[in-house]
Amino acid sequence: MTSFWFTDAPTPTRTPLADDLEVDTVVIGAGLVGLTTALLLAEHGVEVAVLEARRIGAVTTGASNAKISLLQGTRAQTIAHRHGLGVLSKYVAANQAGFDWLLDFCADHGVATQRVPAITYAQSADEAAAVRAEYEATRAVGLPTQLVDELDQPFPTHGGVRLREQAQVDPVAVLTALAAEVEARGGQIFEATRAQRLRRRQGGVVIGTDHAEVSAANAIVATGSPVFDRRGLAAQLTAQRSYLAAFQVPGPIPEEMFISAGQPIRSLRWCPTEAGRVLLVGGSGHDVGRVDSEADHVADVLDWTNRWFPDARLLDRWSAQDYHPISELPYVGAVQIGADDVQCATGFAKWGLTNGVAAARALADRMTGRRSTWSGAYDGWRTGAVKTLFAGAQANAVVGRHLSTGWLSLVDTDSATTPPEGEGRVERRGLHPTAQCTIDGRTHAVSAVCTHLRGIVNWNDAEKTWDCPLHGSRFAPDGTVLEGPATAPLAH
């Protein structure tokens, strides 16, 4: 399942870190947050190195649908309900700052964008109340949204809320331009270099990788779910997987960006190509590692599209992982309480283009002695709020349940049979929980115990990966880390 964005536009490759290095700031992760932070720091004369475990944009940013919007499904009403209109106003201001910076950057660096309206729509009459609530929340904080009674689309709609002059972009084109600008400002980017260890030294930190070490006064962790988490940040997030597909449609396709107000989520936008406009359809998300069949969720997206666009031809299908904060607000701050030398940004709830840039600006401002009026929306999770405490207790009860049931459901086996091609299973061999699969004719047997917090991984039948239901760590068939808070592979 390869992202459509990488099909015809491969990014230039960077070499791995070969020798020990010392810089002012080391950034871990070469997605939108990492590269934007690196650029902002480099513009202020900070010596920066970026470490990327795979390739630029390989995880969340390069797999996103790349909508740049201040109308974000039903986020406004959710944040207002949890935290009040004052906090929502700061959140919108932060996103506006990210929106403006990103569009200015694209204009200055020749990255094509399309200015189109965004619409949160009701799939059924039952979702109409959520549409009106989103309209009221966004209007209360100054967004010029409009209620729309009729939406002339081939799929079912029962009205919506529209915000004009939003935007869409090719995320890989953005990352390519950002990376080039970071290097033009003297920054260094290393691919295929996984950060595995952090230790402190006088005056800074040392990041150990699978190749060499980087010493720096400060570190920025821009990895979705923060690695080197020593304060339980992962426990404040729910890892979510969602699915996207690109289609060639012979007839007309929606001119605006759509997202449904209810479940299952349906998200649509178009993308310009040399062969004409391509329709992107996404949704059918779920918590990572907590469903019986990921392939069923992929089929749900494809079946919905084929139903309402019967002549659509599938070009690519892929998936993305995002992290939903139990507080409903992103977090920008220290990975460890009382240690400001390692900062992170996370919890964008699938709206990472505006939030990610705003978070990068907040991180760079802190490190250069500035502060914006809107950064308070990202200052820290409000764990004292009763609603947040209750949500946290619920989320962590679910984690505890998956931890216990994962171990208790292991079945002892002495069988020497291997799984059929493309399939995987988890079993107990003596005292060893074992994850075994067969891919491309080769059978892999690795530990089924996640290296993050010892959850038992589950087989992902859509992507042929091992996924941990606790905090969303994901591993390749041979145990190699793909994403999530884990930094070590599954043992052979």
Side-chain angles (χ1 to χ4, degrees), residues 376-447:
Y378 298 155
D379 272 351
W381 286 324
R382 292 154 175 77
T383 54
V386 173
K387 294 175 183 176
T388 298
L389 286 171
F390 180 70
Q394 286 183 310
N396 287 292
V398 173
V399 169
R401 186 173 73 247
H402 282 283
L403 176 62
S404 60
T405 57
W407 282 88
L408 293 173
S409 63
L410 291 170
V411 177
D412 289 305
T413 179
D414 295 322
S415 172
T417 61
T418 59
E421 175 64 36
E423 295 185 14
R425 65 170 179 250
V426 174
E427 58 200 14
R428 187 192 300 275
R429 294 184 180 178
L431 298 176
H432 304 288
T434 301
Q436 188 178 26
C437 64
T438 303
I439 300 295
D440 297 329
R442 182 179 178 185
T443 297
H444 303 273
V446 296
S447 170

Side-chain angles (χ1 to χ4, degrees), residues 433-464:
T434 301
Q436 188 178 26
C437 64
T438 303
I439 300 295
D440 297 329
R442 182 179 178 185
T443 297
H444 303 273
V446 296
S447 170
V449 183
C450 176
T451 55
H452 178 226
L453 287 179
R454 296 186 60 78
I456 299 299
V457 298
N458 292 320
W459 179 244
N460 180 325
D461 61 353
E463 300 174 83
K464 315 305 180 189

Side-chain angles (χ1 to χ4, degrees), residues 8-227:
D8 297 318
T11 57
T13 57
R14 273 78 176 178
T15 59
L17 177 69
D19 301 302
D20 289 352
L21 180 68
E22 185 160 358
V23 293
D24 296 329
T25 298
V26 56
V27 177
I28 303 168
L32 184 66
V33 175
L35 291 177
T36 304
T37 306
L39 175 56
L40 293 171
L41 292 175
E43 288 176 343
H44 284 82
V46 178
E47 188 179 15
V48 178
V50 180
L51 308 180
E52 169 55 47
R54 295 161 69 182
R55 59 183 292 195
I56 290 173
V59 189
T60 301
T61 306
S64 72
N65 62 16
K67 295 178 179 179
I68 310 173
S69 178
L70 303 182
L71 179 62
Q72 302 175 351
T74 57
R75 298 290 297 138
Q77 62 188 279
T78 302
I79 292 172
H81 176 71
R82 179 70 63 85
H83 299 285
L85 289 176
V87 172
L88 174 60
S89 182
K90 286 185 178 181
Y91 175 84
V92 171
N95 278 259
Q96 183 71 66
F99 182 102
D100 293 341
W101 188 97
L102 184 53
L103 288 184
D104 287 346
F105 176 86
C106 290
D108 292 343
H109 294 81
V111 178
T113 60
Q114 300 84 46
R115 298 300 295 266
V116 295
I119 296 178
T120 297
Y121 78 98
Q123 300 177 98
S124 66
D126 292 340
E127 296 179 12
V131 165
R132 174 163 285 278
E134 194 65 13
Y135 167 74
E136 292 173 350
T138 52
R139 294 288 292 191
V141 293
L143 288 178
T145 49
Q146 303 169 314
L147 274 179
V148 184
D149 293 328
E150 299 289 337
L151 295 168
D152 185 17
Q153 298 299 327
F155 49 89
T157 63
H158 292 257
V161 54
R162 174 188 282 128
L163 182 60
R164 298 187 183 278
E165 285 299 301
Q166 302 309 286
Q168 55 187 25
V169 71
D170 177 339
V172 172
V174 173
L175 295 178
T176 300
L178 281 169
E181 191 65 17
V182 168
E183 291 173 327
R185 299 276 182 168
Q188 302 177 75
I189 301 174
F190 301 96
E191 293 184 319
T193 303
R194 182 174 296 281
Q196 296 178 319
R197 302 171 302 280
L198 179 149
R199 74 174 191 273
R200 284 185 163 80
R201 61 163 194 175
Q202 178 142 11
V205 298
V206 178
I207 303 298
T209 77
D210 43 2
H211 302 296
E213 292 186 336
V214 179
S215 301
N218 301 283
I220 301 293
V221 180
T223 56
S225 180
V227 296

